[in-house]
Amino acid sequence: MRGAARFLFAFWLLAAWAFRGEAQVPGEAPQATYKAGTITVKFVGAANVDEQVIRANMQVHEGSPFDEAMIDRDIRSLYKTGLFEYIEVKRESEADGSTVDLVVEVTPKYRVLSVRYDGNKKVTWHTLEKQVKTKNGATLDERQVKEDSEKLHDYYEKHGYNQATVTYEIKRDRNTGLGTVIFKIHEGNKVHISDVRFIGNQHIAARKLRGQMETRRYHWLYSWLTGSGRMKEDQFQDDLDKLRDYYRDQGYLDVDIPQEKVIFDYPSSNRLVITIQVSEGRQYHIGSISFSGNKIYPSRILRLALRQKPGMVFSPSKLDKDVETMEDFYGRDGYLETRVRLVRKPNISTGNIDIEYQIEESEKFYVESIKVEGNAKTKSPVILRELLLGPGDVFDTVRMKISKQRLDNTRFFDDVNVTPESTNIPQRRDLKVSVKEARTGQLEFGAGFNSLEKASVYVQLSQSNFDLSNSHSLFQGAGQKFRIRLEVGTEFNDAVISFEEPWLFQRQLDLGFELFRTSSDYQSSFYDEVDTGIEVYLRKRLFELVDAQLSYTYDIININNVAPDASPIIQSFAGSTKESKVGLQFVRDTRDKNINTTNGNRVEFDTTLASSALGGNVDYYSLEFRGAQFYPVFEAQTQVLSVIMHGGIIQNYGDTKVVPYFDRFFLGGPYTLRGFEYRAVGPKDNNEEPIGGKSYGMLSLEYSVEVVNPIRVAFFYDGGFVNKGSFDFNPGSYNDDFGFGIRMSVLGAPLSLDYGIPIRGDINNKQGGQFNFSFGTRF
């Protein structure tokens, strides 16, 4: 009974405490509540900051409750403004003990009164002002001023003033709190690199060493455009590292290229000669090659997978490639966690470096399932059909890498990662595909000009990841291709609607069509031509890199505005001609890239059969070959030789007595023989108007050198003939030219500027040099 009374008494005390206005724990002193009294702002130094700015960045105000945490937050908030060097809050209690007066003492930072540039004579202060962040009226930050001085020095160095020096001085006025920033500049002369020389390079030519460097001699032809030929310190340091790496990769592992022994010589006030001293050391070769830890494959099998053999030059990059090859060799059969470590063992007796491949083999893995993530709009089947692995397959890492490349090549994604992922099942791994989707739809407006079609404007709507059946996702996600293009020009009008399904019936079979209408005035001065039609095609990969395309085209060619004095052959095709034709094309393409190709080839063979039995007006067949081979000549400046060959015949049959001249072959212009006017090479009528031939052949040689990516300089030779009869490949009437040009990329499209000079022609087409301005590739 007594215990129960004690319990009730304790419960009553707790209840009374809980319902009080203040939160107080029994046995503790009650916490006092404080209020802010007056808040005084006191400036230490010049008062160059408005007092209202300070109060606006504080939560504590007169009459409000506050605690120490609020004061700390206010101090941090004021520091974040970047306006103050030092902040202190002092407290003064009033007589009642519950009110605290606050004194906020602030030391403002200096502000910039003006920024001056002293010593700049060759670069205006307007230009220098754009390089710095320190501006009039801004907070004076000496760290920023120092960064600005470094940026000014970099600017001068980039523009050839490698002897320039930039320092700074800050003049502070304590009374006003303002400071003047003065950048003191010694410009020196504008210097061009006249030569880069090497001393001690007994085994590697200076030409090859220069090819590894970005620091190069000045060239009057293109350095003004590319910015080369000027000394840039950071770039030069990187170049020395590149030279060391290059030597080591040639087997000179002990190479020494000391920076302190580089000689900078100035033969004149504006010329610089750089001399780099090289201590090559000895060249190392591969000694014996051994393997350890390998139980799945015998050493003799692994040895076949290696490209580096005993006696070869010890090249670290090539050996690293062999390590990767060996891991891929294991990964191809599912041993995807096998790791290979290369151990170097110097052999004192032979002077070579013996190699041991230490192998840590893993168990064999299989694909459990495939996980796809990140595809918000692209349907999963579009991704899955590009993969070469499926559930239950041996987890082949080589196929995994190829799958990633195939997904990259779709251009549907900005980023693709294909990786194995652990599971709870022994010897099983999931294949995880993570994608970051790219913008595949484009609405383009533009204007263009070339030497054939002259000026034009266009609008184009395209979607490379189109979905015809899904309006909810704005017709995106099925991997189809759709394009609408309208172009209007002074001599050319074009309208195109095209669609392509690359996986018909979930098989790698392309089905597509194109509706077109093309109106051109530049074909001839005797007539205008309008083509309207549709093409439907099926395309499939036959084997390796060979594609086949079967197409049907229905084309209506209208020859309008025929001049009264036009030749009979031109007059005979005035009006409409209907062509119904079937085409078969075979293509093999091994080029490393479609634009600025540096290696590989493309071979194309086209056959066409036009027949009145299919609903047309004409009967003819044509055979045409197009081939291009690209040879990388030198790595320095990515020098490439391209060889292009074309040839073809066209022949009428049945009731058609004459092949329409608009279907015949022509040469001349920016895509064939560049030293001649468009279509100027070949048979002509009695008005000397080109009417084309039924047989032709062409050869084009082009040597191009990269100046700076993506600009290339090209030198070319073109030769070819067009003969009147079919199967007539007599080259006796050939025409040829030579010339030079520039290749560049404008908004992702290849642009060519060429000047061709005729060598051999006839009295009508050899009219001096031709300037060609064109977009697209020449193949």
Side-chain angles (χ1 to χ4, degrees):
M1 186 69 182
R2 185 177 299 174
R6 289 177 179 175
F7 175 80
L8 291 173
F9 181 74
F11 179 82
W12 177 82
L13 286 176
L14 287 172
W17 168 77
F19 284 97
R20 291 184 60 187
E22 297 179 357
Q24 180 179 331
V25 178
E28 292 186 0
Q31 295 183 359
T33 300
Y34 296 99
K35 292 184 179 180
T38 60
I39 300 176
T40 305
V41 176
K42 182 178 179 182
F43 289 93
V44 178
N48 58 8
V49 179
D50 194 321
E51 183 177 323
Q52 295 303 318
V53 173
I54 299 172
R55 296 184 181 275
N57 283 278
M58 295 180 62
Q59 293 184 358
V60 176
H61 55 271
E62 295 179 358
S64 67
F66 84 101
D67 54 25
E68 293 300 323
M70 292 180 65
I71 295 296
D72 291 341
R73 284 196 298 270
D74 285 350
I75 291 175
R76 287 196 296 270
S77 178
L78 289 170
Y79 272 123
K80 285 181 180 179
T81 64
L83 301 174
F84 306 102
E85 292 280 359
Y86 183 73
I87 302 168
E88 183 180 9
V89 178
K90 297 181 178 179
R91 303 155 182 80
E92 298 177 355
S93 299
E94 294 187 0
D96 59 7
S98 62
T99 304
V100 178
D101 294 333
L102 302 176
V103 178
V104 183
E105 291 187 356
V106 295
T107 304
K109 288 183 177 180
Y110 283 83
R111 302 185 73 82
V112 179
L113 176 63
S114 64
V115 180
R116 288 170 30 198
Y117 304 91
D118 289 351
N120 57 307
K121 298 179 181 178
K122 299 173 183 176
V123 182
T124 65
W125 69 269
H126 294 286
T127 302
L128 298 177
E129 188 179 41
K130 296 176 182 178
Q131 311 304 316
V132 302
K133 293 184 178 180
T134 302
K135 306 293 183 182
N136 295 348
T139 301
L140 180 55
D141 186 344
E142 188 163 354
R143 287 178 298 179
Q144 184 61 56
V145 174
K146 184 180 179 185
E147 288 181 14
D148 288 341
S149 69
E150 293 171 353
K151 288 181 181 178
L152 291 174
H153 179 268
D154 291 344
Y155 177 84
Y156 271 101
E157 187 180 72
K158 180 180 177 182
H159 288 79
Y161 298 92
N162 68 300
Q163 295 177 308
T165 59
V166 180
T167 59
Y168 67 88
E169 179 185 358
I170 300 175
K171 294 183 178 180
R172 295 178 173 86
D173 188 333
R174 295 185 178 276
N175 296 324
T176 62
L178 301 176
T180 300
V181 178
I182 305 171
F183 292 105
K184 297 183 176 181
I185 301 168
H186 173 71
E187 294 179 327
N189 292 315
K190 192 171 187 177
V191 178
H192 296 153
I193 300 173
S194 60
D195 200 4
V196 179
R197 301 171 182 172
F198 295 89
I199 298 175
N201 56 314
Q202 299 178 1
H203 299 94
I204 299 181
R207 174 180 55 82
K208 291 185 177 180
L209 297 177
R210 292 191 195 99
Q212 307 303 314
M213 304 176 63
E214 295 295 329
T215 303
R216 295 172 183 168
R217 66 185 69 176
Y218 183 85
H219 196 285
W220 66 271
L221 181 62
Y222 54 78
S223 288
W224 61 273
L225 179 65
T226 65
S228 61
R230 297 164 183 164
M231 180 62 188
K232 302 171 186 176
E233 186 63 31
D234 291 343
Q235 186 182 80
F236 184 69
Q237 298 304 320
D238 291 341
D239 284 341
L240 293 181
D241 289 336
K242 289 179 182 178
L243 290 172
R244 297 183 187 106
D245 291 341
Y246 179 74
Y247 258 105
R248 293 187 186 107
D249 220 36
Q250 307 304 310
Y252 298 93
L253 305 182
D254 302 327
V255 66
D256 184 25
I257 304 178
Q259 178 183 343
E260 63 274 8
K261 291 187 178 181
V262 176
I263 300 172
F264 299 96
D265 185 31
Y266 294 87
S268 64
S269 60
N270 62 347
R271 292 174 54 226
L272 169 63
V273 176
I274 303 174
T275 304
I276 301 173
Q277 298 190 29
V278 179
S279 176
E280 292 180 331
R282 62 166 297 180
Q283 187 181 42
Y284 291 89
H285 292 77
I286 299 173
S288 64
I289 298 177
S290 60
F291 303 87
S292 63
N294 54 309
K295 298 178 182 179
I296 299 173
Y297 301 108
S299 297
R300 61 182 177 82
I301 298 297
L302 296 178
R303 203 179 300 273
L304 296 175
L306 303 178
R307 300 191 65 179
Q308 302 305 298
K309 309 295 182 183
M312 288 186 173
V313 171
F314 189 95
S315 174
S317 66
K318 293 178 181 179
L319 290 168
D320 290 343
K321 184 66 176 177
D322 271 354
V323 169
E324 182 181 349
T325 300
M326 200 174 304
E327 289 183 348
D328 285 343
F329 184 81
Y330 273 91
R332 182 189 59 187
D333 291 332
Y335 304 102
L336 60 93
E337 293 186 355
T338 295
R339 295 295 173 261
V340 179
R341 179 170 172 262
L342 185 146
V343 179
R344 302 190 301 181
K345 297 180 178 180
N347 192 319
I348 299 176
S349 60
T350 64
N352 295 327
I353 298 180
D354 297 335
I355 295 173
E356 179 186 355
Y357 291 99
Q358 296 179 351
I359 303 172
E360 184 180 343
E361 296 178 335
S362 74
E363 55 187 353
K364 193 169 188 174
F365 290 90
Y366 296 84
V367 178
E368 174 64 20
S369 62
I370 298 176
K371 297 181 178 179
V372 179
E373 61 181 33
N375 55 320
K377 62 182 180 182
T378 304
K379 294 179 177 179
S380 293
V382 174
I383 297 174
L384 295 174
R385 70 194 185 194
E386 300 295 336
L387 303 179
L388 299 181
L389 290 172
D393 293 344
V394 172
F395 206 121
D396 185 339
T397 56
V398 175
R399 287 176 172 263
M400 181 182 71
K401 292 177 181 179
I402 296 174
S403 298
K404 179 185 183 308
Q405 292 175 355
R406 292 178 58 162
L407 287 171
D408 285 332
N409 291 338
T410 64
R411 298 187 179 182
F412 298 162
F413 314 105
D414 285 331
D415 186 43
V416 177
N417 285 304
V418 183
T419 56
E421 187 175 64
S422 298
T423 67
N424 296 325
I425 306 173
Q427 295 183 266
R428 294 279 178 166
R429 290 287 185 269
D430 289 336
L431 181 66
K432 182 179 178 182
V433 182
S434 300
V435 298
K436 179 182 179 183
E437 293 191 300
R439 189 180 70 175
T440 54
Q442 291 184 328
L443 177 61
E444 301 177 46
F445 300 89
F449 178 87
N450 64 39
S451 53
L452 286 182
E453 299 160 4
K454 308 304 180 186
S456 64
V457 295
Y458 72 90
V459 57
Q460 176 171 286
L461 173 66
S462 63
Q463 174 57 260
S464 60
N465 191 8
F466 189 67
D467 187 350
L468 182 63
S469 62
N470 191 353
S471 61
H472 299 292
S473 64
L474 300 177
F475 299 99
Q476 298 180 88
Q480 300 163 351
K481 295 176 174 58
F482 177 75
R483 179 171 71 107
I484 298 178
R485 180 183 175 90
L486 298 173
E487 183 171 3
V488 179
T490 55
E491 310 227 351
F492 177 81
N493 296 322
D494 187 29
V496 176
I497 300 176
S498 63
F499 171 84
E500 181 178 299
E501 168 56 73
W503 285 77
L504 185 64
F505 308 128
Q506 295 303 310
R507 302 170 65 97
Q508 198 168 0
L509 177 65
D510 292 12
L511 170 66
F513 72 85
E514 181 175 283
L515 291 167
F516 58 87
R517 185 184 188 278
T518 302
S519 173
S520 56
D521 300 339
Y522 65 85
Q523 305 279 10
S524 172
S525 58
F526 286 86
Y527 62 87
D528 297 335
E529 182 176 333
V530 179
D531 290 0
T532 306
I534 181 172
E535 179 185 19
V536 182
Y537 60 87
L538 282 170
R539 183 170 56 245
K540 180 168 178 54
R541 173 66 53 89
L542 296 182
F543 52 87
E544 289 187 355
L545 300 173
V546 177
D547 290 339
Q549 177 173 300
L550 178 66
S551 63
Y552 170 76
T553 305
Y554 187 80
D555 191 3
I556 301 175
I557 299 97
N558 287 290
I559 303 299
N560 304 319
N561 302 322
V562 179
D565 57 344
S567 64
I569 187 172
I570 293 178
Q571 300 250 5
S572 65
F573 285 97
S576 296
T577 301
K578 299 176 182 178
E579 294 188 348
S580 180
K581 50 193 176 184
V582 177
L584 180 61
Q585 179 187 76
F586 297 94
V587 177
R588 184 178 186 272
D589 195 343
T590 65
R591 293 175 297 170
D592 57 350
K593 47 189 175 181
N594 294 340
I595 300 174
N596 289 334
T597 308
T598 61
N599 197 3
N601 59 64
R602 177 184 167 94
V603 178
E604 178 181 322
F605 184 73
D606 296 340
T607 63
T608 302
L609 175 67
S611 174
S612 55
L614 299 175
N617 299 138
V618 294
D619 300 288
Y620 68 80
Y621 65 89
S622 68
L623 306 172
E624 188 171 9
F625 168 83
R626 296 168 179 257
Q629 177 70 51
F630 299 87
Y631 300 96
V633 182
F634 297 108
E635 292 184 5
Q637 302 300 114
T638 318
Q639 301 178 50
V640 178
L641 172 65
S642 64
V643 181
I644 297 176
M645 297 182 67
H646 292 182
I649 63 100
I650 187 169
Q651 176 66 8
N652 51 288
Y653 70 94
D655 295 333
T656 299
K657 304 302 180 183
V658 179
V659 175
Y661 56 84
F662 41 75
D663 289 318
R664 299 180 190 179
F665 300 116
F666 299 83
L667 290 179
Y671 303 107
T672 55
L673 272 60
R674 288 163 280 187
F676 301 90
E677 291 184 353
Y678 181 62
R679 290 186 166 191
V681 176
K684 301 176 177 63
D685 61 16
N686 52 10
N687 293 323
E688 300 303 330
E689 177 69 10
I691 55 174
K694 297 164 73 174
S695 302
Y696 88 104
M698 188 196 83
L699 169 68
S700 180
L701 306 175
E702 181 169 296
Y703 194 93
S704 63
V705 180
E706 183 179 85
V707 178
V708 61
N709 189 32
I711 301 175
R712 302 180 66 83
V713 175
F715 304 91
F716 59 83
Y717 168 84
D718 305 320
F721 60 88
V722 181
N723 292 333
K724 184 176 181 181
S726 297
F727 299 97
D728 180 6
F729 292 99
N730 184 350
S733 62
Y734 82 94
N735 290 218
D736 59 352
D737 62 67
F738 74 97
F740 57 90
I742 296 175
R743 310 283 176 264
M744 63 182 69
S745 180
V746 178
L747 299 177
L751 169 66
S752 297
L753 302 172
D754 290 317
Y755 186 75
I757 303 170
I759 301 175
R760 173 174 173 170
D762 59 45
I763 191 172
N764 297 305
N765 64 25
K766 192 176 179 181
Q767 300 174 355
Q770 295 292 323
F771 177 76
N772 296 288
F773 178 97
S774 61
F775 285 93
T777 57
R778 294 187 63 244
F779 180 81

